[in-house]
Amino acid sequence: MAGEKRLIRTRNIGFMAHIDAGKTTVTERVLFYTKKIHRMGEVDEGTTVMDWMQQEQERGITITSAVTTVEWKGNTIHIIDTPGHVDFTIEVERSLRVLDGAIAIFSAVEGVEPQSETVWHQADKYGVPKLAFVNKMDRIGANFFDTVKMMVERLGANPVITQIPMGAEDRFIGVIDLMRLKGVVWDEHSLGVDLKEISIPDEFMEEAVRYRSKLVESIAEMDDDLTEKYLNGEGISESELKAALRKGTISMKAVPVLCGAALRNQGIQPLIDAIVDYLPSPLDIPPVEGTHPKTGERVRRKADDAEPFTALAFKVMMDQGRRLVYLRIYSGILRVGEEVLNPRLNRGEKISRIFQMHANQRTRMEEAKAGEIVAVMGLKETTTGDTLCDPLHPILLEPIDFYKPVMSVAVEPRTNRDQERLVESLQKLSDEDPTFQVKFDEDTGQTIISGMGELHLDVLVNRLLLEYHLEVNVGRPQVVYRETVEKEAEASAKFMKEMEDVKHMAEVFLRVSPNGRGKGIEFHSELPVGALNQEGVLSVEEGIRESCAVGVVLGYPLTDLRVALLKAVVDPNQPSLLGLKIAASNALREACRKAQPVLLEPMMEVNIIVPEEFMGEVVGDLKARKSSVEAITPKGKVTIIKALSPLTRMFGYSTDLRSLTQGRGTFSMQFSHYDKVIG
């Protein structure tokens, strides 16, 4: 019962937004008003608590997601502050995978920006309920209602406005709480700590009454009892409205919308109240589901201390040379010194220490309970996306989706004696970041690192210098290509070899044909029933999938390929699985050579915001880069251009865009799909 009481008062939430919407500033204010910190840091000054890495402070952006825990009116709120830059999307992805609720922060000036759309859809994918906070109401060009309209148009959301601003830009003085029909203003001298309710000024009264009735109507639509009351003209109490809106938010039918100006310390306390009022506790979300690693049957775990221990590792961090693994505990209790099972490895791991994290500071704990987010030491082989569970009650949770890198550079140490240290340091960095990959190219003798974009790789190279004191030379960025085929073709291959007195013989006939873009490799067997056992078919598939790692044009991985097994011949007295695998691999290569193989390059979705007077030059420049302009949308004095561009043509684009627009254009870019190389 005590555990249930604790869980009802627990929230696991994250802040997500486009870069520069004010996410870290909001988080910093939340820490200040919940008395977690005694002095607010500023992003521009590099003094925020959550952006603790040296590079985050220097660049003024969030690079790694930071975890902290605060107390508010008897509730415990675990918070993850995520990056807003598209190159660090994995940080958002893995955070959303373990969160119960999210706060999407929008700038009232720019509204719903491209990366806001990406993170919003990521949250939808994981079924994460959301609140929206429209920030920067004090900035020139701030428009609250435009931003809400964009939420409907671009995100397909159902925003429920619970607050409206009193004024905007330099006339923004506070907010109107529509639930209570009261104005709320903040005292600047107390850094926004003191807030008071006031009667709504006459100039805002008409608008407040109009939006209050809209609020009641939209909440009543979500609840049958309230619909009846509303239609009968009966009064609906504040507690009834809040309960119905909470239900609507948790079921993802509604998104409560609040507003403020974080930099001026306005609007934060009502936002924290809304987190408690509307976002789910671990008890409000369905039990976590996984599979039994041995039997494959579905297993469920409720958020309960009495259930068997279940957790997901969502982040690995090297801290002063030691591995720190962040866990979301879904059920049970984890204690220091216990051995837990990693079902992916089918191996036990011992917990040596448990910490409650506050950015990069930590407090030791003896145990961690269901619903908590903690970091642990002692896990040697557990990595991002792994499940940890009670050895007597195994469960394997669904892992986290990772993005494939799209850009590579070669790195080499300045001095030969650092080669070994470079390999070790890169390995540690790739342990932390699953979208960062390292490989050694034996043909050229180079170490190749791959990531999500120029900024991503630049940050990692800088980390080598700052954290590992390694100076490296970096080659020109290279694009990670793929290969596919454009025609259908058939081929066969035979394998015969005697190995250690065992004869391996098999012949495999395959057909390859193009698959739709982004569909990947699809394999199916067209053999008559009983022609080859299941093990044999699996060996053929294994040979095909392994062979797809190296294409026939320039050795890049194959993708978007449909492969059919037409015929397989083995020695009936001594069927060889190895023979099938090797013959299938050779047959695939032969079929691909005949099927008009082509190179595919990464196409990027580019979103550019420019003042309208520069639109013509920017579009002309995009066309010169072989980009296809998908949409041009005017928005006030700026124009939003959406284009698809080959990544090879976009290196150094930020510098070119600055010179085309006198430094006033901004853009974001994310991987869209692979397509045929444009000449």
Side-chain angles (χ1 to χ4, degrees), residues 55-74:
Q55 285 201 72
E56 293 180 311
Q57 293 171 351
E58 286 171 4
R59 295 171 189 257
I61 61 169
T62 304
I63 290 168
T64 181
S65 48
V67 178
T68 190
T69 302
V70 299
E71 299 290 327
W72 181 254
K73 298 179 180 174

Side-chain angles (χ1 to χ4, degrees), residues 229-379:
K229 271 190 161 187
Y230 180 74
L231 293 173
N232 293 336
E234 294 174 43
I236 301 173
S237 71
E238 186 192 334
S239 59
E240 286 176 311
L241 286 171
K242 281 189 171 176
L245 182 52
R246 176 183 178 79
K247 220 163 109 190
T249 307
I250 291 169
S251 60
M252 295 187 67
K253 290 181 187 151
V255 179
V257 184
L258 299 91
C259 60
L263 202 59
R264 277 176 51 189
N265 312 315
Q266 294 172 314
I268 303 299
Q269 295 95 328
L271 175 63
I272 312 173
D273 285 335
I275 289 168
V276 173
D277 288 343
Y278 306 125
L279 289 180
S281 77
L283 296 176
D284 292 316
I285 56 169
V288 69
E289 282 199 8
T291 52
H292 191 291
K294 295 263 187 340
T295 64
E297 65 183 278
R298 299 297 289 167
V299 187
R300 305 178 89 197
R301 292 274 194 273
K302 292 205 300 278
D304 189 337
D305 295 346
E307 287 261 302
F309 168 70
T310 308
L312 187 77
F314 68 94
K315 183 177 166 75
V316 175
M317 205 174 88
M318 299 310 293
D319 187 42
Q320 295 161 6
R322 293 169 128 182
R323 279 178 111 242
L324 203 57
V325 180
Y326 286 76
L327 304 179
R328 160 70 199 262
I329 300 175
Y330 287 103
S331 64
I333 298 177
L334 178 67
R335 295 179 179 88
V336 171
E338 270 184 350
E339 185 161 296
V340 294
L341 174 71
N342 181 328
R344 180 181 66 85
L345 303 167
N346 195 21
R347 211 167 290 163
E349 294 249 55
K350 199 166 186 181
I351 305 293
S352 60
R353 287 178 188 179
I354 304 175
F355 300 105
Q356 187 180 83
M357 297 302 292
H358 173 47
N360 62 332
Q361 299 157 24
R362 49 196 195 199
T363 309
R364 283 181 75 158
M365 305 164 72
E366 286 309 305
E367 61 177 32
K369 297 176 177 175
E372 294 189 332
I373 293 176
V374 295
V376 298
M377 271 185 185
L379 302 175

Side-chain angles (χ1 to χ4, degrees), residues 5 23 67 121 130 133 160 203 259 309 334 367 373 428 433 451 459 475 525-526 533 567 581 593 616 639 660-661 678:
K5 223 172 181 178
K23 195 166 26 57
V67 178
H121 297 315
K130 295 169 283 289
F133 181 72
V160 175
E203 60 185 299
C259 60
F309 168 70
L334 178 67
E367 61 177 32
I373 293 176
K428 285 175 181 171
D433 183 349
V459 163
S525 168
E526 292 182 6
N533 63 17
K567 188 178 168 190
K581 185 176 166 180
R593 281 192 194 100
T639 301
L660 279 171
T661 61
I678 301 167

